[in-house]
């Protein structure tokens, strides 16, 4: 088991004071089936292992453990502004304060990071298909003081279009709000009446419709890379990765 954290650094033109990272499953102490850098406290892993993993992450990023704004994610559209007491029930966070870390946990759902070009505000969203369809990204964009044209976004590791099979109700839900969503669905060859969904395409459509056209990332599939990523769809009981963004002073 490796002790070295394998962090993904977004390749996007964010301002210098905007810092961001996405973890993989590598570099922690959790045992199977959570091996090894599980950061979720809600997945039946040993809580002491999660504490060690979170401490390692904080040390690697030169941050205080108290800086992380962990959320209780429920596939909804609520957003909180950091700092906030406790662990709020929400699926997105934003802040204008340096040193406050917006943190999202995922294992197939799409993590989305956003910042303004001036480097004064950052945000992170948990965009599974339910939250995405319900408008979580629009909520986050509306929280920015900057106009949407001055916001940039990065799409983190999520289940890819060749792995994400869904029922017709998922396609129908997206089609109700935007007919362009049809572009993100293709017929499943394995199950008649089902579809392969491209959650990256759906997120880009939602962002662009809201005015955010500078969108990066969207090329890492969690379900097809078991060595590097957790995947709930692939494994069932598994750990969680974190996607993080914060402002330096």
């Amino acid at each position: 088991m490796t002790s070295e954290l394998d962090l993904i650094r977004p390749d996007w033109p964010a301002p210098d004071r905007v810092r961001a990272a996405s973890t993989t499953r590598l570099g922690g102490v959790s045992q199977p089936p959570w091996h090894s850098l599980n950061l979720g406290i809600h997945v039946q892993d040993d809580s002491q292992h999660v504490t060690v993993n979170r401490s390692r992450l904080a040390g690697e990023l030169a941050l205080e453990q108290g800086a992380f704004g962990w959320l209780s994610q429920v596939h909804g559209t609520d957003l909180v502004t950091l700092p906030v007491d406790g662990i709020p029930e929400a699926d997105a966070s934003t802040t204008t304060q340096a040193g406050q870390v917006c943190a999202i946990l995922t294992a197939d759902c799409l993590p989305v990071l956003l910042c303004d070009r001036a480097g004064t505000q950052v945000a992170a969203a948990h965009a599974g298909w339910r939250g995405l369809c319900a408008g979580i990204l629009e909520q986050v964009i509306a929280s920015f003081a900057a106009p949407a044209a001055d916001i940039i976004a990065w799409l983190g590791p999520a289940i890819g279009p060749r792995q994400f099979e869904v029922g017709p109700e998922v396609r129908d839900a997206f089609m109700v709000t935007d007919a362009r969503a049809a572009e993100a669905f293709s017929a499943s060859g394995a199950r008649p009446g089902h579809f392969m969904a491209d959650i990256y395409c759906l997120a880009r459509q939602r962002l662009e419709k809201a005015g955010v056209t500078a969108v990066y990332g969207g090329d890492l599939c969690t379900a097809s890379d078991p060595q590097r990523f957790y995947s709930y769809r692939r494994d069932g009981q598994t750990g969680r990765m974190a996607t993080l963004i914060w402002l330096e002073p």
Side-chain angles (χ1 to χ4, degrees), residues 1 25 29-39 43-46 49 53 107 226 229-232 234-240:
M1 182 180 296
R25 69 184 303 162
V29 300
S30 293
Q31 301 300 303
W34 306 278
H35 57 294
S36 66
L37 191 69
N38 169 44
L39 298 166
V43 294
Q44 288 75 57
D45 190 7
D46 186 316
H49 289 166
N53 291 340
F229 298 119
Y230 294 120
S231 169
Y232 182 81
R234 183 188 66 229
D235 298 328
Q237 189 171 38
T238 191
R240 296 294 186 272

Side-chain angles (χ1 to χ4, degrees), residues 7-243:
L7 297 180
I8 297 164
R9 303 287 187 166
D11 182 11
W12 64 335
D16 289 343
R17 70 183 299 240
V18 174
R19 303 298 168 85
S22 188
T23 68
T24 65
R25 69 184 303 162
L26 304 176
V29 300
S30 293
Q31 301 300 303
W34 306 278
H35 57 294
S36 66
L37 191 69
N38 169 44
L39 298 166
I41 60 173
H42 63 294
V43 294
Q44 288 75 57
D45 190 7
D46 186 316
S47 61
Q48 293 184 339
H49 289 166
V50 178
T51 297
V52 171
N53 291 340
R54 289 186 173 188
S55 178
R56 286 189 178 187
L57 176 61
E60 181 74 15
L61 298 175
L63 293 165
E64 298 293 330
Q65 287 200 60
F68 291 80
W70 302 111
L71 306 175
S72 176
Q73 299 167 195
V74 295
H75 298 275
T77 60
D78 285 347
L79 173 145
V80 296
T81 299
L82 303 180
V84 65
D85 293 332
I87 302 177
E89 190 174 280
D91 285 272
S93 60
T94 185
T95 190
T96 58
Q97 292 194 23
Q100 293 289 321
V101 183
C102 299
I104 296 297
L105 294 172
T106 61
D108 279 337
C109 289
L110 175 62
V112 182
L113 301 181
L114 304 99
C115 70
D116 62 357
R117 294 185 186 278
T120 63
Q121 185 175 354
V122 295
H126 166 232
W129 79 260
R130 291 177 179 83
L132 185 60
C133 189
I136 184 68
L137 295 183
E138 290 86 345
Q139 284 280 88
V140 175
I141 293 165
S143 76
F144 274 77
D150 289 339
I151 297 172
I152 63 175
W154 182 76
L155 311 181
I159 189 167
R162 295 185 179 180
Q163 302 290 332
F164 191 24
E165 185 181 72
V166 300
E169 73 283 356
V170 177
R171 182 179 184 274
D172 291 347
F174 280 97
M175 292 289 290
V176 166
T177 57
D178 189 350
R180 291 191 311 151
E183 300 169 8
F185 295 90
S186 59
S188 169
R191 299 176 69 190
H194 286 66
F195 298 89
M196 305 307 295
D198 187 342
I199 199 166
Y200 286 129
C201 177
L202 291 166
R204 289 189 183 98
Q205 288 176 346
R206 288 301 187 99
L207 288 165
E208 290 170 6
K209 189 174 182 179
V212 178
T213 57
V215 183
Y216 301 84
D219 55 1
L220 295 171
C221 175
T222 51
S224 60
D225 191 349
Q227 297 302 313
R228 199 178 193 201
F229 298 119
Y230 294 120
S231 169
Y232 182 81
R233 175 67 68 99
R234 183 188 66 229
D235 298 328
Q237 189 171 38
T238 191
R240 296 294 186 272
M241 301 164 294
T243 300

